[in-house]
Amino acid sequence: MNKSSIRFFGLSGLALGIIGNAVTYFLLIFYNQVHGVPAHLVSLALGIALLFDAFSDPLVGMWSDRLQSRWGRRHPFLVVAGLPLAGLYVLLWNPPTWAFDTETIALVYLTSLLIAFRIVFTFIDVPTNAMIAELTRDYDERTHMASARVSAAWVGGIMFTALMYGVFLQPSEAYPVGVLNLDGYKNASWLGGFLIATSILISALGLRQHIPTLRQPRETEALSFDEAITTAKSILNSRPFRALMTYSIAFRSTDGLFAALIVYMWTYFWLIDTDQIALLSLANLVGAFVAMVVTPRLARNQEKRTIIIWGNLAYLLIGTLPISLRLFGFIPNDMTFPLLLSLAIFDISVFVIILSLLNSMIADIVEDVQREAHVRHEGAVVSAQTLMTKVSMAVGTWIAGLLLTGVGFPEGATVESIPVDVVHDLAAGYLAVQFSATLVCAGLMLRFKLSRNVHRQNLEVTGEA
C-alpha cells in the first residue's frame, strides 16, 4: 500500500470521529439537559435503535461481500450513503418543538431518528472497515491502515469537540451554562454535516483506483437466510473471533460510559469551564497525533495482544486514579485543571493505540475464518465487530443513564444548584464501573491467541501469502 492510499483510507475516519464524539459526548446532555428529556428515556431510545443494528450490521456486511457492480463491492455503499448520513446528522441536532410536547412523543421521535441514523451509518462503517483485509494481507501494514483511520477519527473528533467548546458552546446571556447553548448545537450541526459528507466522498474517490484489484464476489454467492446462517456459524467457530468480541464488549462499554458522562464530570465534578475543556480537547489532539505516529512502530516487533494488555493496565491507572484522589480531597480546585491537562495526552494516546490494534486484529481474523470455512467473509466479520462496538457503546450510555437517574441528577441543572453529595455519588458510581470493567478487559485479552506466527500460517494455508 502506498502512503497516499493509506491517507485516503484514513480520511474516512474524520466522519467517524465527528459522529462519534458528537453523538456519544453530547447526545445525552443535549436531549436530557437542554430539552428536558429524562436520561433513562434517552438511553432507552439508544437501546431500541440498537435492536435494529443487530439486523442491519450483519446484513450490510454480507451484502457488501456479495454486491456486484462496476464500482466493486464496497464503494457503492460509500457513495450512496454519504449525503443522507450528513442530513440525518443535522436533523439530530435540530429537533422540532413538537417533538417535546410529551415524553412519549420525545421517545418516539428520538428513537425513529436514531434508527435511521444508525442504519445509514452502517452503510459507511462496515464496508470501509472490510477493505482493510482486502487492501493488504500484511500483519503490520494492517495496523498502519487501522491506525490511520482511528487516529484520523480522533483528530477530527477532538478538533470538532474543541470547536464545540471554544466557539459554539460559549456561555451567553440567554445560555449562562455553555454546554446548554441550544443555538450552539444547531450552528455546529451544519458544519459537522458538511465535513461528514465531504470526508466520506473524498475517501471513496481516492480509493477508487484499487477497485480493479479488490476481490470480486463469486457469481454463485447469493444472499439468503440459509447462507446468512452458514456465514454466521463459520465466523462464530473462530476462537480468536470469540475472544476478541468478548474483549470488545467489555472495553467499549467503558468507552460508552466515559463518553456519555465526561461532559457531566468535567462540568459538575471537576468544575472546569468550556474554555478549559477546549484546551483539554487540544491536548487530546496531540495525544491522537502521537498515537498515529507511535502505533505502527510500536506494533512492528511486538504482538498486538501484548500491547493491548499493557495498554489496559495503563488506562486503568490514568483513568481512575485522579477521580479517586479528588473524591478523597487530595486534589484542590486550583490543581484540578493542570492535572487533567498533564494526563490528557497520555490518556488519549493509549486509548487510540488500543482501538487501532483492535481494528487491525479483526482484519487478521478474516484469514482465520477462511482457514476453516474455505470462504472469505471480510464484510461479515467486520460487521460483527461494528455491531459489538455499537452494542457496547449503547450499554455504556444506558449505564450512564441509570447512574444519573439513580443518584437523582436533575434536568437543566446549574453547577451551583446540585448538591455536592449527588455529584460525588455520580463520580463514585462511574469510578466503580470503570475500574472493574477495565481490569476485566486485561484478563479477557489473554484468551486471544492469534499471533503473528499464526497469522502467517493462516495466509500459507489459505493461499493468501
Side-chain angles (χ1 to χ4, degrees):
M1 286 292 294
N2 56 58
K3 291 183 178 180
S4 63
S5 295
I6 293 177
R7 292 191 188 103
F8 277 120
F9 179 81
L11 181 61
S12 64
L14 178 64
L16 179 66
I18 293 173
I19 292 170
N21 278 29
V23 174
T24 55
Y25 287 2
F26 297 109
L27 182 71
L28 182 57
I29 199 168
F30 177 72
Y31 280 91
N32 173 228
Q33 297 293 316
V34 176
H35 288 292
V37 181
H40 68 279
L41 291 183
V42 180
S43 300
L44 179 60
L46 286 166
I48 295 173
L50 180 64
L51 294 176
F52 286 82
D53 278 334
F55 297 97
S56 66
D57 279 41
L59 285 176
V60 170
M62 288 184 278
W63 186 9
S64 74
D65 283 337
R66 294 160 173 80
L67 182 67
Q68 299 185 31
S69 78
R70 63 186 183 90
W71 275 66
R73 297 188 294 174
R74 319 293 180 189
H75 279 72
F77 292 93
L78 311 184
V79 175
V80 170
L83 289 177
L85 181 64
L88 288 168
Y89 178 86
V90 173
L91 286 177
L92 195 61
W93 307 104
N94 291 270
T97 55
W98 57 260
F100 307 103
D101 286 347
T102 67
E103 290 185 359
T104 301
I105 293 175
L107 175 62
V108 172
Y109 174 83
L110 181 58
T111 302
S112 302
L113 190 56
L114 284 173
I115 289 172
F117 183 80
R118 282 187 174 279
I119 290 175
V120 176
F121 179 67
T122 297
F123 277 72
I124 300 293
D125 199 33
V126 170
T128 301
N129 278 324
M131 282 195 283
I132 295 179
E134 287 189 296
L135 289 169
T136 180
R137 309 287 189 271
D138 186 81
Y139 186 79
D140 294 317
E141 201 167 55
R142 285 177 173 177
T143 299
H144 197 176
M145 290 187 64
S147 174
R149 187 167 191 248
V150 173
S151 298
W154 275 85
V155 169
I158 291 170
M159 290 180 67
F160 197 78
T161 300
L163 280 175
M164 289 289 288
Y165 287 117
V167 178
F168 295 109
L169 297 184
Q170 287 292 301
S172 65
E173 185 176 347
Y175 304 101
V177 180
V179 293
L180 305 183
N181 191 329
L182 176 62
D183 294 334
Y185 286 104
K186 291 182 177 181
N187 294 333
S189 69
W190 292 100
L191 175 61
F194 172 77
L195 293 175
I196 288 168
T198 302
S199 61
I200 291 172
L201 294 177
I202 292 178
S203 175
L205 292 174
L207 294 173
R208 185 184 177 185
Q209 60 179 308
H210 294 284
I211 292 176
T213 62
L214 296 178
R215 290 178 175 271
Q216 298 299 314
R218 295 186 299 275
E219 294 183 2
T220 58
E221 204 173 18
L223 180 58
S224 65
F225 180 77
D226 290 341
E227 180 66 23
I229 296 299
T230 301
T231 300
K233 288 181 178 179
S234 299
I235 296 172
L236 290 172
N237 282 337
S238 169
R239 289 185 177 180
F241 174 82
R242 296 197 301 270
L244 193 62
M245 289 305 100
T246 305
Y247 172 88
S248 296
I249 290 172
F251 183 73
R252 295 312 295 262
S253 293
T254 65
D255 184 23
L257 177 71
F258 170 84
L261 290 183
I262 188 60
V263 179
Y264 288 84
M265 295 291 290
W266 279 338
T267 305
Y268 300 105
F269 179 73
W270 293 110
L271 302 177
I272 59 178
D273 57 35
T274 53
D275 289 333
Q276 291 174 316
I277 294 175
L279 288 175
L280 278 178
S281 298
L282 292 177
N284 290 339
L285 179 64
V286 176
F289 274 115
V290 170
M292 184 185 298
V293 175
V294 168
T295 304
R297 293 169 172 78
L298 185 65
R300 192 169 297 159
N301 298 312
Q302 302 290 334
E303 293 294 344
K304 299 172 187 178
R305 184 189 75 163
T306 303
I307 299 172
I308 287 183
I309 291 173
W310 283 107
N312 269 272
L313 296 176
Y315 192 68
L316 176 68
L317 180 65
I318 60 182
T320 60
L321 184 60
I323 299 175
S324 302
L325 294 175
R326 174 77 167 180
L327 284 172
F328 286 104
F330 293 121
I331 303 178
N333 289 340
D334 59 344
M335 290 298 297
T336 294
F337 183 66
L339 174 65
L340 295 178
L341 195 61
S342 63
L343 292 176
I345 296 176
F346 184 64
D347 184 16
I348 295 302
S349 295
V350 171
F351 191 77
V352 173
I353 288 171
I354 292 175
L355 290 186
S356 299
L357 291 173
L358 285 177
N359 282 6
S360 175
M361 291 159 80
I362 196 68
D364 296 336
I365 289 175
V366 169
E367 286 84 18
D368 192 74
V369 172
Q370 182 183 4
R371 180 175 185 170
E372 300 298 328
H374 308 292
V375 179
R376 288 179 69 88
H377 298 293
E378 296 97 336
V381 171
V382 167
S383 70
Q385 187 261 350
T386 58
L387 174 60
M388 289 301 102
T389 296
K390 292 176 183 178
V391 169
S392 306
M393 292 290 289
V395 167
T397 305
W398 175 68
I399 294 173
L402 292 180
L403 278 175
L404 290 169
T405 302
V407 301
F409 205 96
E411 287 85 20
T414 61
V415 175
E416 297 80 11
S417 67
I418 300 180
V420 175
D421 290 345
V422 172
V423 177
H424 282 192
D425 287 345
L426 177 64
Y430 170 83
L431 182 65
V433 177
Q434 182 85 348
F435 182 86
S436 57
T438 308
L439 191 61
V440 166
C441 286
L444 289 174
M445 183 49 64
L446 293 172
R447 299 173 59 245
F448 186 83
K449 304 296 184 181
L450 207 169
S451 63
R452 184 186 299 270
N453 288 335
V454 173
H455 174 69
R456 185 182 300 112
Q457 293 170 11
N458 287 340
L459 291 179
E460 292 172 355
V461 171
T462 58
E464 301 287 346

